[in-house]
Every structure is written in C-alpha cells, then in structure tokens.
Amino acid sequence: MFKTSQTSFSCNLKKFRCKGKTKANTRCKRFSYFGYPFCWYHMSKYSNLRIKKSSVINGGLGLFVSNGHTYNKGDKIVEYVGEILTKDEIDRRYSDSTAPYTLMDGTGKYIDSACFRGIASMANAPDKTHEKNADFVDVDDVVMIVATKKIVDGDEIFVDYGDEYLINDETETFKTIYRQR
C-alpha cells in the first residue's frame, strides 16, 4: 500500500532477484524491491550508489555515492525509472493530492516511481542545511540525474524538484505536486 498524508492507493512493489554474480560466479540470492536489477551490495559495486538514511531531517532514505567513486560536473549518475503514465492517469491516482515520486519527461509523459521504484527516486531535495549537487536532465527522452558539481564518496545526492516541491520550514515535511524538469 502506498500512502501519504494526502492520498492512499494500493500497489504491490515488485520483488526482483539480484542479477549480480557471487565470487563463485553463481547468481546472487539477494532480492531488491527497487526497480533496479541488483541488491544493495551489487548496486553499490556496479553503480557506485548506496541507499541509506538521509542527512535531511525527516527525509527518510537518501541516495549516496559509494565505493570511493567521484562524479564530476556533467556526469550522468542514474536514470529515473518508474511506471510511464499519462496526466489523466496521474490525476486519477492522486486526485488533488501530491504525487511525491512523479516527474514529467521531455515528451510530456509522467514517470511515477511510487509502485515501481527506481533508485533515482531516493534522491532527496536539499533542506536549508544542504545544497543541490545534481539535476534531472532529459537525455534523448530518458530522464537522468546528472551531477552539477563534484560529488564524492559518502556524499548524498541532492536534486532540485522545482517550484512545485516545497519544504515547510516549521515542520520540515515535504510537499510536492509533480516533479518536473
């Protein structure tokens, strides 16, 4: 069940068996519920990214650089994936509520990561104690998170979700309509 303070609908997160290989060259036995073909260990190994507790107050989980890797300005970090929906489908799903894991690509399609989670959906917006270090960029009709400055091992990735994404300074809770870039 997906639920925010404003909306509630059901969806089953899909469970994926990791496609990574063990040292014995057999398939990994771990699973992922994110729309990514690798478990936490192989995600870190292959993509140099890790999901862990965010440094943003009440930010939940966040997306971090791992394995001693550095992303330089302009480097593509990860694709934003999810269900491809129309505006009508988004409106039916969320009514007048927020769509917290949805952004619009350059073709006008909406990518909703609420039920089919890509790891890019774990990147948080910066609060008043952090700065943006990445952007959503449409690259050949694929939405990517791209570094806007150097991001080093251990750093959390922060993206700007636009004017519709606001932080209430009094409660530090997040509100969004559509994540658009």
PDB file of all heavy atoms in Angstrom, residues 28-57:
ATOM      1  N   CYS A  28      23.562 -14.160  -7.464  1.00  0.00           N
ATOM      2  CA  CYS A  28      23.313 -13.698  -6.095  1.00  0.00           C
ATOM      3  C   CYS A  28      21.917 -14.139  -5.645  1.00  0.00           C
ATOM      4  O   CYS A  28      20.975 -14.164  -6.441  1.00  0.00           O
ATOM      5  CB  CYS A  28      23.428 -12.176  -6.050  1.00  0.00           C
ATOM      6  SG  CYS A  28      23.075 -11.437  -4.450  1.00  0.00           S
ATOM      7  N   LYS A  29      21.783 -14.464  -4.364  1.00  0.00           N
ATOM      8  CA  LYS A  29      20.491 -14.921  -3.830  1.00  0.00           C
ATOM      9  C   LYS A  29      19.676 -13.800  -3.190  1.00  0.00           C
ATOM     10  O   LYS A  29      18.556 -14.018  -2.766  1.00  0.00           O
ATOM     11  CB  LYS A  29      20.723 -16.029  -2.802  1.00  0.00           C
ATOM     12  CG  LYS A  29      21.286 -17.271  -3.436  1.00  0.00           C
ATOM     13  CD  LYS A  29      21.486 -18.374  -2.430  1.00  0.00           C
ATOM     14  CE  LYS A  29      22.064 -19.590  -3.127  1.00  0.00           C
ATOM     15  NZ  LYS A  29      22.302 -20.692  -2.227  1.00  0.00           N
ATOM     16  N   ARG A  30      20.231 -12.590  -3.142  1.00  0.00           N
ATOM     17  CA  ARG A  30      19.511 -11.466  -2.540  1.00  0.00           C
ATOM     18  C   ARG A  30      18.439 -10.943  -3.495  1.00  0.00           C
ATOM     19  O   ARG A  30      18.440 -11.234  -4.678  1.00  0.00           O
ATOM     20  CB  ARG A  30      20.472 -10.336  -2.195  1.00  0.00           C
ATOM     21  CG  ARG A  30      21.471 -10.676  -1.125  1.00  0.00           C
ATOM     22  CD  ARG A  30      22.338  -9.438  -0.832  1.00  0.00           C
ATOM     23  NE  ARG A  30      23.431  -9.765   0.037  1.00  0.00           N
ATOM     24  CZ  ARG A  30      24.676  -9.991  -0.380  1.00  0.00           C
ATOM     25  NH1 ARG A  30      24.981  -9.902  -1.657  1.00  0.00           N
ATOM     26  NH2 ARG A  30      25.624 -10.278   0.485  1.00  0.00           N
ATOM     27  N   PHE A  31      17.543 -10.094  -2.929  1.00  0.00           N
ATOM     28  CA  PHE A  31      16.457  -9.506  -3.709  1.00  0.00           C
ATOM     29  C   PHE A  31      16.478  -7.986  -3.583  1.00  0.00           C
ATOM     30  O   PHE A  31      17.070  -7.430  -2.663  1.00  0.00           O
ATOM     31  CB  PHE A  31      15.097 -10.025  -3.216  1.00  0.00           C
ATOM     32  CG  PHE A  31      14.866 -11.462  -3.558  1.00  0.00           C
ATOM     33  CD1 PHE A  31      15.268 -12.468  -2.696  1.00  0.00           C
ATOM     34  CD2 PHE A  31      14.241 -11.809  -4.747  1.00  0.00           C
ATOM     35  CE1 PHE A  31      15.069 -13.798  -3.013  1.00  0.00           C
ATOM     36  CE2 PHE A  31      14.034 -13.130  -5.078  1.00  0.00           C
ATOM     37  CZ  PHE A  31      14.442 -14.135  -4.204  1.00  0.00           C
ATOM     38  N   SER A  32      15.788  -7.345  -4.515  1.00  0.00           N
ATOM     39  CA  SER A  32      15.606  -5.905  -4.483  1.00  0.00           C
ATOM     40  C   SER A  32      14.136  -5.611  -4.729  1.00  0.00           C
ATOM     41  O   SER A  32      13.494  -6.266  -5.542  1.00  0.00           O
ATOM     42  CB  SER A  32      16.443  -5.233  -5.560  1.00  0.00           C
ATOM     43  OG  SER A  32      16.123  -3.859  -5.640  1.00  0.00           O
ATOM     44  N   TYR A  33      13.614  -4.622  -4.023  1.00  0.00           N
ATOM     45  CA  TYR A  33      12.243  -4.165  -4.261  1.00  0.00           C
ATOM     46  C   TYR A  33      12.243  -2.876  -5.063  1.00  0.00           C
ATOM     47  O   TYR A  33      11.206  -2.323  -5.354  1.00  0.00           O
ATOM     48  CB  TYR A  33      11.500  -3.960  -2.936  1.00  0.00           C
ATOM     49  CG  TYR A  33      11.161  -5.275  -2.288  1.00  0.00           C
ATOM     50  CD1 TYR A  33      12.024  -5.870  -1.382  1.00  0.00           C
ATOM     51  CD2 TYR A  33       9.984  -5.939  -2.602  1.00  0.00           C
ATOM     52  CE1 TYR A  33      11.721  -7.086  -0.796  1.00  0.00           C
ATOM     53  CE2 TYR A  33       9.668  -7.158  -2.035  1.00  0.00           C
ATOM     54  CZ  TYR A  33      10.543  -7.722  -1.128  1.00  0.00           C
ATOM     55  OH  TYR A  33      10.234  -8.924  -0.570  1.00  0.00           O
ATOM     56  N   PHE A  34      13.395  -2.382  -5.382  1.00  0.00           N
ATOM     57  CA  PHE A  34      13.515  -1.194  -6.203  1.00  0.00           C
ATOM     58  C   PHE A  34      13.569  -1.637  -7.648  1.00  0.00           C
ATOM     59  O   PHE A  34      13.937  -2.761  -7.954  1.00  0.00           O
ATOM     60  CB  PHE A  34      14.775  -0.410  -5.822  1.00  0.00           C
ATOM     61  CG  PHE A  34      14.659   0.225  -4.476  1.00  0.00           C
ATOM     62  CD1 PHE A  34      15.025  -0.461  -3.337  1.00  0.00           C
ATOM     63  CD2 PHE A  34      14.153   1.502  -4.343  1.00  0.00           C
ATOM     64  CE1 PHE A  34      14.892   0.120  -2.083  1.00  0.00           C
ATOM     65  CE2 PHE A  34      14.017   2.088  -3.096  1.00  0.00           C
ATOM     66  CZ  PHE A  34      14.379   1.392  -1.977  1.00  0.00           C
ATOM     67  N   GLY A  35      13.223  -0.754  -8.557  1.00  0.00           N
ATOM     68  CA  GLY A  35      13.235  -1.096  -9.977  1.00  0.00           C
ATOM     69  C   GLY A  35      14.652  -1.122 -10.510  1.00  0.00           C
ATOM     70  O   GLY A  35      14.956  -0.507 -11.515  1.00  0.00           O
ATOM     71  N   TYR A  36      15.496  -1.831  -9.833  1.00  0.00           N
ATOM     72  CA  TYR A  36      16.906  -1.921 -10.174  1.00  0.00           C
ATOM     73  C   TYR A  36      17.280  -3.390 -10.100  1.00  0.00           C
ATOM     74  O   TYR A  36      16.865  -4.083  -9.182  1.00  0.00           O
ATOM     75  CB  TYR A  36      17.722  -1.088  -9.170  1.00  0.00           C
ATOM     76  CG  TYR A  36      19.131  -0.819  -9.602  1.00  0.00           C
ATOM     77  CD1 TYR A  36      19.387   0.062 -10.649  1.00  0.00           C
ATOM     78  CD2 TYR A  36      20.203  -1.433  -8.979  1.00  0.00           C
ATOM     79  CE1 TYR A  36      20.688   0.315 -11.059  1.00  0.00           C
ATOM     80  CE2 TYR A  36      21.499  -1.177  -9.379  1.00  0.00           C
ATOM     81  CZ  TYR A  36      21.737  -0.303 -10.424  1.00  0.00           C
ATOM     82  OH  TYR A  36      23.014  -0.065 -10.826  1.00  0.00           O
ATOM     83  N   PRO A  37      18.033  -3.904 -11.044  1.00  0.00           N
ATOM     84  CA  PRO A  37      18.240  -5.348 -11.100  1.00  0.00           C
ATOM     85  C   PRO A  37      19.221  -5.918 -10.075  1.00  0.00           C
ATOM     86  O   PRO A  37      19.517  -7.105 -10.119  1.00  0.00           O
ATOM     87  CB  PRO A  37      18.759  -5.567 -12.529  1.00  0.00           C
ATOM     88  CG  PRO A  37      19.409  -4.287 -12.896  1.00  0.00           C
ATOM     89  CD  PRO A  37      18.628  -3.211 -12.183  1.00  0.00           C
ATOM     90  N   PHE A  38      19.709  -5.085  -9.152  1.00  0.00           N
ATOM     91  CA  PHE A  38      20.715  -5.562  -8.213  1.00  0.00           C
ATOM     92  C   PHE A  38      20.330  -5.287  -6.764  1.00  0.00           C
ATOM     93  O   PHE A  38      19.660  -4.300  -6.458  1.00  0.00           O
ATOM     94  CB  PHE A  38      22.071  -4.893  -8.501  1.00  0.00           C
ATOM     95  CG  PHE A  38      22.561  -5.139  -9.897  1.00  0.00           C
ATOM     96  CD1 PHE A  38      22.563  -4.122 -10.831  1.00  0.00           C
ATOM     97  CD2 PHE A  38      23.004  -6.397 -10.294  1.00  0.00           C
ATOM     98  CE1 PHE A  38      23.011  -4.341 -12.126  1.00  0.00           C
ATOM     99  CE2 PHE A  38      23.443  -6.628 -11.577  1.00  0.00           C
ATOM    100  CZ  PHE A  38      23.448  -5.596 -12.502  1.00  0.00           C
ATOM    101  N   CYS A  39      20.781  -6.147  -5.872  1.00  0.00           N
ATOM    102  CA  CYS A  39      20.612  -5.957  -4.431  1.00  0.00           C
ATOM    103  C   CYS A  39      21.493  -4.800  -3.970  1.00  0.00           C
ATOM    104  O   CYS A  39      22.267  -4.230  -4.751  1.00  0.00           O
ATOM    105  CB  CYS A  39      21.005  -7.244  -3.686  1.00  0.00           C
ATOM    106  SG  CYS A  39      22.780  -7.632  -3.805  1.00  0.00           S
ATOM    107  N   TRP A  40      21.412  -4.452  -2.687  1.00  0.00           N
ATOM    108  CA  TRP A  40      22.179  -3.313  -2.152  1.00  0.00           C
ATOM    109  C   TRP A  40      23.678  -3.489  -2.379  1.00  0.00           C
ATOM    110  O   TRP A  40      24.386  -2.546  -2.717  1.00  0.00           O
ATOM    111  CB  TRP A  40      21.881  -3.117  -0.659  1.00  0.00           C
ATOM    112  CG  TRP A  40      22.331  -4.281   0.182  1.00  0.00           C
ATOM    113  CD1 TRP A  40      21.596  -5.379   0.514  1.00  0.00           C
ATOM    114  CD2 TRP A  40      23.614  -4.472   0.764  1.00  0.00           C
ATOM    115  NE1 TRP A  40      22.334  -6.254   1.255  1.00  0.00           N
ATOM    116  CE2 TRP A  40      23.596  -5.719   1.442  1.00  0.00           C
ATOM    117  CE3 TRP A  40      24.786  -3.723   0.794  1.00  0.00           C
ATOM    118  CZ2 TRP A  40      24.682  -6.224   2.120  1.00  0.00           C
ATOM    119  CZ3 TRP A  40      25.874  -4.228   1.478  1.00  0.00           C
ATOM    120  CH2 TRP A  40      25.827  -5.465   2.130  1.00  0.00           C
ATOM    121  N   TYR A  41      24.178  -4.704  -2.226  1.00  0.00           N
ATOM    122  CA  TYR A  41      25.622  -4.953  -2.366  1.00  0.00           C
ATOM    123  C   TYR A  41      26.066  -4.743  -3.814  1.00  0.00           C
ATOM    124  O   TYR A  41      27.028  -4.031  -4.082  1.00  0.00           O
ATOM    125  CB  TYR A  41      25.957  -6.378  -1.903  1.00  0.00           C
ATOM    126  CG  TYR A  41      27.391  -6.756  -2.187  1.00  0.00           C
ATOM    127  CD1 TYR A  41      28.418  -6.323  -1.360  1.00  0.00           C
ATOM    128  CD2 TYR A  41      27.718  -7.524  -3.306  1.00  0.00           C
ATOM    129  CE1 TYR A  41      29.735  -6.643  -1.626  1.00  0.00           C
ATOM    130  CE2 TYR A  41      29.036  -7.849  -3.583  1.00  0.00           C
ATOM    131  CZ  TYR A  41      30.040  -7.408  -2.743  1.00  0.00           C
ATOM    132  OH  TYR A  41      31.344  -7.723  -3.017  1.00  0.00           O
ATOM    133  N   HIS A  42      25.362  -5.377  -4.742  1.00  0.00           N
ATOM    134  CA  HIS A  42      25.749  -5.260  -6.141  1.00  0.00           C
ATOM    135  C   HIS A  42      25.415  -3.885  -6.722  1.00  0.00           C
ATOM    136  O   HIS A  42      26.091  -3.423  -7.632  1.00  0.00           O
ATOM    137  CB  HIS A  42      25.119  -6.395  -6.962  1.00  0.00           C
ATOM    138  CG  HIS A  42      25.779  -7.706  -6.691  1.00  0.00           C
ATOM    139  ND1 HIS A  42      25.192  -8.671  -5.909  1.00  0.00           N
ATOM    140  CD2 HIS A  42      26.991  -8.186  -7.061  1.00  0.00           C
ATOM    141  CE1 HIS A  42      26.018  -9.707  -5.827  1.00  0.00           C
ATOM    142  NE2 HIS A  42      27.111  -9.440  -6.504  1.00  0.00           N
ATOM    143  N   MET A  43      24.381  -3.218  -6.196  1.00  0.00           N
ATOM    144  CA  MET A  43      24.093  -1.852  -6.617  1.00  0.00           C
ATOM    145  C   MET A  43      25.293  -0.964  -6.317  1.00  0.00           C
ATOM    146  O   MET A  43      25.741  -0.194  -7.155  1.00  0.00           O
ATOM    147  CB  MET A  43      22.859  -1.297  -5.903  1.00  0.00           C
ATOM    148  CG  MET A  43      22.607   0.157  -6.232  1.00  0.00           C
ATOM    149  SD  MET A  43      21.157   0.910  -5.462  1.00  0.00           S
ATOM    150  CE  MET A  43      21.196   0.333  -3.821  1.00  0.00           C
ATOM    151  N   SER A  44      25.824  -1.106  -5.118  1.00  0.00           N
ATOM    152  CA  SER A  44      26.986  -0.316  -4.735  1.00  0.00           C
ATOM    153  C   SER A  44      28.194  -0.678  -5.601  1.00  0.00           C
ATOM    154  O   SER A  44      28.926   0.190  -6.073  1.00  0.00           O
ATOM    155  CB  SER A  44      27.301  -0.548  -3.256  1.00  0.00           C
ATOM    156  OG  SER A  44      28.418   0.197  -2.871  1.00  0.00           O
ATOM    157  N   LYS A  45      28.372  -1.961  -5.834  1.00  0.00           N
ATOM    158  CA  LYS A  45      29.525  -2.442  -6.617  1.00  0.00           C
ATOM    159  C   LYS A  45      29.469  -1.972  -8.071  1.00  0.00           C
ATOM    160  O   LYS A  45      30.464  -1.519  -8.622  1.00  0.00           O
ATOM    161  CB  LYS A  45      29.562  -3.969  -6.559  1.00  0.00           C
ATOM    162  CG  LYS A  45      30.713  -4.596  -7.306  1.00  0.00           C
ATOM    163  CD  LYS A  45      30.706  -6.109  -7.134  1.00  0.00           C
ATOM    164  CE  LYS A  45      31.833  -6.754  -7.911  1.00  0.00           C
ATOM    165  NZ  LYS A  45      31.837  -8.201  -7.763  1.00  0.00           N
ATOM    166  N   TYR A  46      28.286  -2.073  -8.712  1.00  0.00           N
ATOM    167  CA  TYR A  46      28.168  -1.775 -10.140  1.00  0.00           C
ATOM    168  C   TYR A  46      27.845  -0.323 -10.458  1.00  0.00           C
ATOM    169  O   TYR A  46      28.217   0.184 -11.505  1.00  0.00           O
ATOM    170  CB  TYR A  46      27.114  -2.671 -10.792  1.00  0.00           C
ATOM    171  CG  TYR A  46      27.419  -4.149 -10.711  1.00  0.00           C
ATOM    172  CD1 TYR A  46      26.431  -5.061 -10.408  1.00  0.00           C
ATOM    173  CD2 TYR A  46      28.702  -4.642 -10.927  1.00  0.00           C
ATOM    174  CE1 TYR A  46      26.696  -6.426 -10.336  1.00  0.00           C
ATOM    175  CE2 TYR A  46      28.986  -5.996 -10.843  1.00  0.00           C
ATOM    176  CZ  TYR A  46      27.978  -6.882 -10.553  1.00  0.00           C
ATOM    177  OH  TYR A  46      28.239  -8.220 -10.477  1.00  0.00           O
ATOM    178  N   SER A  47      27.091   0.347  -9.595  1.00  0.00           N
ATOM    179  CA  SER A  47      26.664   1.718  -9.920  1.00  0.00           C
ATOM    180  C   SER A  47      27.322   2.772  -9.042  1.00  0.00           C
ATOM    181  O   SER A  47      27.129   3.958  -9.270  1.00  0.00           O
ATOM    182  CB  SER A  47      25.148   1.846  -9.790  1.00  0.00           C
ATOM    183  OG  SER A  47      24.772   1.760  -8.426  1.00  0.00           O
ATOM    184  N   ASN A  48      28.059   2.341  -8.034  1.00  0.00           N
ATOM    185  CA  ASN A  48      28.708   3.263  -7.098  1.00  0.00           C
ATOM    186  C   ASN A  48      27.699   4.132  -6.353  1.00  0.00           C
ATOM    187  O   ASN A  48      27.972   5.281  -6.016  1.00  0.00           O
ATOM    188  CB  ASN A  48      29.743   4.135  -7.812  1.00  0.00           C
ATOM    189  CG  ASN A  48      30.830   3.296  -8.445  1.00  0.00           C
ATOM    190  OD1 ASN A  48      31.448   2.465  -7.784  1.00  0.00           O
ATOM    191  ND2 ASN A  48      31.041   3.477  -9.731  1.00  0.00           N
ATOM    192  N   LEU A  49      26.509   3.558  -6.110  1.00  0.00           N
ATOM    193  CA  LEU A  49      25.459   4.248  -5.371  1.00  0.00           C
ATOM    194  C   LEU A  49      24.999   3.362  -4.223  1.00  0.00           C
ATOM    195  O   LEU A  49      25.036   2.142  -4.312  1.00  0.00           O
ATOM    196  CB  LEU A  49      24.274   4.570  -6.285  1.00  0.00           C
ATOM    197  CG  LEU A  49      24.560   5.534  -7.419  1.00  0.00           C
ATOM    198  CD1 LEU A  49      23.387   5.583  -8.382  1.00  0.00           C
ATOM    199  CD2 LEU A  49      24.894   6.920  -6.889  1.00  0.00           C
ATOM    200  N   ARG A  50      24.519   4.009  -3.171  1.00  0.00           N
ATOM    201  CA  ARG A  50      24.030   3.285  -2.000  1.00  0.00           C
ATOM    202  C   ARG A  50      22.819   4.017  -1.454  1.00  0.00           C
ATOM    203  O   ARG A  50      22.778   5.240  -1.432  1.00  0.00           O
ATOM    204  CB  ARG A  50      25.149   3.246  -0.948  1.00  0.00           C
ATOM    205  CG  ARG A  50      24.894   2.428   0.276  1.00  0.00           C
ATOM    206  CD  ARG A  50      25.161   0.962  -0.048  1.00  0.00           C
ATOM    207  NE  ARG A  50      24.742   0.106   1.019  1.00  0.00           N
ATOM    208  CZ  ARG A  50      25.541  -0.460   1.888  1.00  0.00           C
ATOM    209  NH1 ARG A  50      26.836  -0.254   1.834  1.00  0.00           N
ATOM    210  NH2 ARG A  50      25.069  -1.244   2.816  1.00  0.00           N
ATOM    211  N   ILE A  51      21.805   3.286  -1.015  1.00  0.00           N
ATOM    212  CA  ILE A  51      20.636   3.873  -0.366  1.00  0.00           C
ATOM    213  C   ILE A  51      20.814   3.680   1.129  1.00  0.00           C
ATOM    214  O   ILE A  51      21.055   2.569   1.592  1.00  0.00           O
ATOM    215  CB  ILE A  51      19.342   3.180  -0.845  1.00  0.00           C
ATOM    216  CG1 ILE A  51      19.149   3.410  -2.342  1.00  0.00           C
ATOM    217  CG2 ILE A  51      18.138   3.691  -0.063  1.00  0.00           C
ATOM    218  CD1 ILE A  51      18.065   2.549  -2.953  1.00  0.00           C
ATOM    219  N   LYS A  52      20.712   4.787   1.867  1.00  0.00           N
ATOM    220  CA  LYS A  52      20.795   4.715   3.322  1.00  0.00           C
ATOM    221  C   LYS A  52      20.081   5.921   3.921  1.00  0.00           C
ATOM    222  O   LYS A  52      19.560   6.757   3.186  1.00  0.00           O
ATOM    223  CB  LYS A  52      22.241   4.604   3.795  1.00  0.00           C
ATOM    224  CG  LYS A  52      23.140   5.750   3.411  1.00  0.00           C
ATOM    225  CD  LYS A  52      24.568   5.463   3.867  1.00  0.00           C
ATOM    226  CE  LYS A  52      25.463   6.666   3.633  1.00  0.00           C
ATOM    227  NZ  LYS A  52      26.821   6.438   4.096  1.00  0.00           N
ATOM    228  N   LYS A  53      20.066   6.015   5.230  1.00  0.00           N
ATOM    229  CA  LYS A  53      19.356   7.093   5.926  1.00  0.00           C
ATOM    230  C   LYS A  53      19.864   8.451   5.451  1.00  0.00           C
ATOM    231  O   LYS A  53      21.044   8.716   5.441  1.00  0.00           O
ATOM    232  CB  LYS A  53      19.529   6.954   7.438  1.00  0.00           C
ATOM    233  CG  LYS A  53      18.713   7.945   8.241  1.00  0.00           C
ATOM    234  CD  LYS A  53      18.852   7.676   9.726  1.00  0.00           C
ATOM    235  CE  LYS A  53      18.082   8.564  10.637  1.00  0.00           C
ATOM    236  NZ  LYS A  53      17.531   9.771  10.199  1.00  0.00           N
ATOM    237  N   SER A  54      18.902   9.302   5.071  1.00  0.00           N
ATOM    238  CA  SER A  54      19.240  10.629   4.566  1.00  0.00           C
ATOM    239  C   SER A  54      19.745  11.533   5.676  1.00  0.00           C
ATOM    240  O   SER A  54      19.371  11.395   6.837  1.00  0.00           O
ATOM    241  CB  SER A  54      18.001  11.270   3.923  1.00  0.00           C
ATOM    242  OG  SER A  54      18.291  12.579   3.484  1.00  0.00           O
ATOM    243  N   SER A  55      20.570  12.494   5.288  1.00  0.00           N
ATOM    244  CA  SER A  55      21.024  13.520   6.233  1.00  0.00           C
ATOM    245  C   SER A  55      20.013  14.657   6.343  1.00  0.00           C
ATOM    246  O   SER A  55      20.168  15.551   7.175  1.00  0.00           O
ATOM    247  CB  SER A  55      22.388  14.062   5.801  1.00  0.00           C
ATOM    248  OG  SER A  55      22.322  14.586   4.492  1.00  0.00           O
ATOM    249  N   VAL A  56      18.955  14.621   5.532  1.00  0.00           N
ATOM    250  CA  VAL A  56      17.874  15.613   5.601  1.00  0.00           C
ATOM    251  C   VAL A  56      16.949  15.223   6.753  1.00  0.00           C
ATOM    252  O   VAL A  56      16.537  14.072   6.867  1.00  0.00           O
ATOM    253  CB  VAL A  56      17.078  15.650   4.275  1.00  0.00           C
ATOM    254  CG1 VAL A  56      15.854  16.543   4.403  1.00  0.00           C
ATOM    255  CG2 VAL A  56      17.965  16.113   3.134  1.00  0.00           C
ATOM    256  N   ILE A  57      16.624  16.178   7.606  1.00  0.00           N
ATOM    257  CA  ILE A  57      15.719  15.920   8.731  1.00  0.00           C
ATOM    258  C   ILE A  57      14.385  15.422   8.179  1.00  0.00           C
ATOM    259  O   ILE A  57      13.792  16.048   7.299  1.00  0.00           O
ATOM    260  CB  ILE A  57      15.512  17.189   9.576  1.00  0.00           C
ATOM    261  CG1 ILE A  57      16.836  17.620  10.203  1.00  0.00           C
ATOM    262  CG2 ILE A  57      14.455  16.951  10.652  1.00  0.00           C
ATOM    263  CD1 ILE A  57      16.800  18.989  10.840  1.00  0.00           C
TER     264      ILE A  57
END
